[in-house]
Amino acid sequence: MIKEKVNKTIKKYNLLDKGDRVLIAYSGGVDSSGMLAVLLELREQWEIELFLAHFNHELRKRAAEDEQFVRCVAKKHSLPLFVGRENVRSYARRESLNLEEAGRRLRYEFLFKTATDCSASKIATGHTMTDQAETFLMRLLRGSGARGLGGIYPAVEGIIIRPLLQIEREEIEAYLSEQNLSYRIDESNFDRRFLRNRIRLEFIPFVQKKFEPKIIHHLSHLASILREEDDLLEKIGKEEAKKAFFKKSDTFLLNMKFISSLPLALRRRVIRNFILEIKGDLRGVSFSDVESLAELGEGKEYYFRKGLVLKREKNHVFLKEESPPEIKYEHMWSGEGRLEIKELGLIFEGRKIRKDTHTPLCFNDQNRAYLNLKKLTFPLRVRNRQDGDKYQPLGAPGKKKLKEIMRAKGIPLFEREKKPVFLTGKDIVWVLGLPVSEKFKVERKSEVIFLIQRL
């Protein structure tokens, strides 16, 4: 039954193409174990090649046991396994994030890097209908709009796919029991300090018992309706955005007279698109921010977080932001020992390591870079970014301006000066926070790797 449901979901949302190489995000828990079992059943029908990726968050005492369980499963099914690990707690403190967000960032970064490494065209995650209902309720309680309430998408950017999104977790548990398949239990799922766990363990069972047994199905259906309607409005909003703002002397301006003629729902979407254009992402942008900008008076200013200031002048809103002071520095580094960039308060360490075919590299653009030692010429030059800098990031089709890459990655203007550029000769090999250069990537035949590690 589950096999047929998953197959229907795959076809409905075009999640797979025949011949795809699929990287499964495999924790060893009930959801990912169910997904692995079903995809193994569907492997021949879809002619897909499967790989496993396991990310160790180093948060729980039993994490090492989970990793060993995953290794045994991979060996049992003769599937290639990639394991990454990162101290999520330390990363969360350093980046001022909660554990959930820190874990999500590092996990997806690892998955995308691994997908590139094994040439996977799809990354499958084990999100279920139950996860969808929990996400809907969490966002409802936090006051999310239609986009947030749309919840978890079946596919993201044609790469991330959720084959189990039409299946309840209880169905997966029953399926694994019938198949006599074991899985790991994450004890953190029972920690009621987390909102999601309280919703899962207390709220939903209460509603199911006292009000509506099919609440999970109903919320999933509602989220689907909201996603479809939101997608339509977003498409219209982007078309209106093209008419509402323009670029003048490297400054984006929003025509307030034009957007005042739009229906309120479209006005908000145009403003969100404008913020996205100048900020690079919508993280931390609230409904209140959008409303305040829509009502901004002539000659007035609105202060965003982290020093972003928007001003309205002559019926146009623009980013009033003094360019961050340019930090000029240049260091020649032999690659041995530590490199201290006092101007930024950053310290890096370099070392040569022999490639181990049995232990996948633990990628993390924010902290480390793995480079093909044979292609490097020392000393490396380390300097601030400069106008005209270009390079080809790992997996990208060609060279792009560093400025455009940083903007696409959502790196705010005031953060860009804090990203040192590493070069060999005239070629950029790595920029802190961005992928390494395609030209200097570690290849299968690489025997020795040069590791740059941020301390």
Side-chain angles (χ1 to χ4, degrees):
M1 183 65 173
I2 281 188
K3 177 183 172 183
E4 287 71 27
K5 279 189 177 182
V6 171
N7 210 18
K8 184 178 179 181
T9 301
I10 290 172
K11 291 176 180 177
K12 179 178 180 180
Y13 296 107
N14 298 313
L15 302 185
L16 289 176
D17 293 310
K18 287 202 172 184
D20 272 338
R21 294 164 68 93
V22 182
L23 181 69
I24 298 175
Y26 185 53
S27 69
V30 60
D31 297 340
S32 62
S33 293
M35 178 172 64
L36 170 60
V38 175
L39 289 180
L40 283 170
E41 284 195 63
L42 294 171
R43 178 165 53 176
E44 187 175 339
Q45 177 185 340
W46 284 93
E47 301 171 14
I48 54 178
E49 190 174 354
L50 301 178
F51 302 81
L52 298 183
H54 178 78
F55 186 74
N56 185 340
H57 296 74
E58 297 185 357
L59 288 172
R60 300 182 295 109
K61 293 179 180 178
R62 299 177 64 185
E65 296 175 21
D66 293 343
E67 184 177 318
Q68 186 56 40
F69 173 84
V70 167
R71 290 186 183 278
C72 290
V73 172
K75 185 176 180 180
K76 175 184 176 182
H77 296 291
S78 300
L79 295 175
L81 170 66
F82 298 82
V83 175
R85 57 181 62 84
E86 193 73 41
N87 190 319
V88 172
R89 199 178 301 278
S90 296
Y91 177 79
R93 282 196 296 266
R94 188 167 61 250
E95 301 295 326
S96 300
L97 300 169
N98 61 45
L99 281 178
E100 186 177 11
E101 175 62 15
R104 189 192 69 81
R105 281 194 191 180
L106 291 174
R107 184 169 61 253
Y108 275 99
E109 185 174 279
F110 164 68
L111 290 173
F112 278 113
K113 289 287 187 184
T114 304
T116 299
D117 194 48
C118 66
S119 300
S121 50
K122 301 289 168 60
I123 299 171
T125 67
H127 292 90
T128 66
M129 183 185 290
T130 306
D131 291 313
Q132 183 73 282
E134 293 166 1
T135 300
F136 180 95
L137 290 169
M138 286 176 66
R139 293 180 179 176
L140 179 67
L141 293 173
R142 290 170 178 167
S144 293
R147 168 144 291 202
L149 295 178
I152 304 167
Y153 279 62
V156 180
E157 297 177 357
I159 300 173
I160 297 173
I161 60 172
R162 278 89 184 230
L164 301 184
L165 209 54
Q166 302 297 313
I167 312 287
E168 281 195 63
R169 185 171 292 115
E170 285 185 358
E171 293 179 81
I172 297 169
E173 291 171 348
Y175 167 72
L176 292 174
S177 178
E178 290 169 7
Q179 300 290 321
N180 197 28
L181 297 172
S182 58
Y183 54 88
R184 298 290 293 175
I185 295 176
D186 183 350
E187 63 270 22
S188 66
N189 287 335
F190 301 96
D191 188 341
R192 284 174 163 79
R193 288 177 298 175
F194 298 105
L195 176 60
R196 182 180 290 276
N197 290 347
R198 294 199 301 276
I199 288 173
R200 176 189 301 135
L201 301 172
E202 299 174 16
F203 184 77
I204 289 180
F206 176 78
V207 174
Q208 286 173 324
K209 182 178 180 180
K210 298 289 186 179
F211 296 95
E212 177 49 66
K214 294 186 176 181
I215 182 176
I216 290 175
H217 280 267
H218 295 332
L219 292 181
S220 175
H221 183 58
L222 177 56
S224 178
I225 293 171
L226 289 171
R227 280 197 309 275
E228 291 159 2
E229 294 185 354
D230 182 76
D231 286 345
L232 175 60
L233 281 172
E234 187 65 15
K235 183 178 179 181
I236 298 171
K238 285 181 178 179
E239 290 300 317
E240 295 299 330
K242 292 176 183 177
K243 308 171 191 174
F245 54 86
F246 59 95
K247 192 173 184 180
K248 183 178 180 182
S249 301
D250 289 330
T251 300
F252 277 96
L253 295 103
L254 175 65
N255 187 330
M256 298 298 284
K257 186 175 181 181
F258 174 80
I259 70 166
S260 65
S261 65
L262 297 174
L264 184 57
L266 282 179
R267 192 183 314 166
R268 290 171 178 153
R269 287 173 184 274
V270 170
I271 291 173
R272 283 172 61 84
N273 274 285
F274 177 70
I275 295 172
L276 176 63
E277 189 66 46
I278 60 174
K279 185 174 178 288
D281 60 53
L282 291 170
R283 292 191 193 101
V285 177
S286 67
F287 178 80
S288 176
D289 289 327
V290 175
E291 289 295 280
S292 297
L293 188 53
E295 298 168 3
L296 191 64
E298 187 68 19
K300 300 293 184 180
E301 296 178 351
Y302 182 70
Y303 290 78
F304 268 101
R305 296 158 187 78
K306 293 185 178 180
L308 288 174
V309 182
L310 289 168
K311 182 173 182 178
R312 177 169 176 169
E313 194 172 88
K314 296 180 180 178
N315 270 328
H316 288 87
V317 167
F318 55 91
L319 182 65
K320 181 191 174 186
E321 180 180 22
E322 295 181 5
S323 298
E326 185 179 359
I327 307 170
K328 290 190 175 181
Y329 57 89
E330 184 169 314
H331 301 273
M332 302 305 291
W333 183 36
S334 68
E336 297 178 1
R338 295 187 173 186
L339 165 69
E340 183 176 5
I341 306 177
K342 292 182 180 179
E343 296 87 349
L344 301 177
L346 295 175
I347 299 175
F348 294 88
E349 181 180 60
R351 56 191 172 96
K352 300 171 185 177
I353 56 176
R354 188 159 292 278
K355 187 178 179 184
D356 183 352
T357 56
H358 301 291
T359 306
L361 303 177
C362 188
F363 292 96
N364 182 343
D365 293 337
Q366 301 298 330
N367 291 306
R368 68 181 70 91
Y370 296 101
L371 300 164
N372 190 334
L373 182 64
K374 276 191 174 182
K375 294 187 177 182
L376 299 178
T377 302
F378 292 90
L380 298 182
R381 190 154 55 108
V382 186
R383 60 163 171 77
N384 55 294
R385 70 186 184 100
Q386 296 177 0
D387 289 342
D389 276 345
K390 286 184 178 182
Y391 88 110
Q392 182 181 3
L394 182 66
K399 281 190 175 184
K400 291 184 178 180
K401 288 185 178 179
L402 183 54
K403 178 180 178 181
E404 293 176 0
I405 298 170
M406 287 184 163
R407 180 169 157 270
K409 283 282 185 180
I411 300 174
L413 291 171
F414 47 86
E415 291 287 340
R416 297 176 191 178
E417 292 300 323
K418 302 174 185 177
K419 307 292 184 183
V421 180
F422 292 76
L423 303 97
T424 182
K426 295 182 178 181
D427 292 320
I428 293 175
V429 298
W430 182 49
V431 181
L432 180 64
L434 298 178
V436 299
S437 167
E438 176 72 24
K439 183 177 178 180
F440 299 93
K441 70 179 180 181
V442 174
E443 299 170 324
R444 293 186 184 278
K445 61 183 179 181
S446 301
E447 295 180 358
V448 184
I449 299 166
F450 183 65
L451 166 65
I452 303 175
Q453 175 78 47
R454 175 185 174 184
L455 301 179

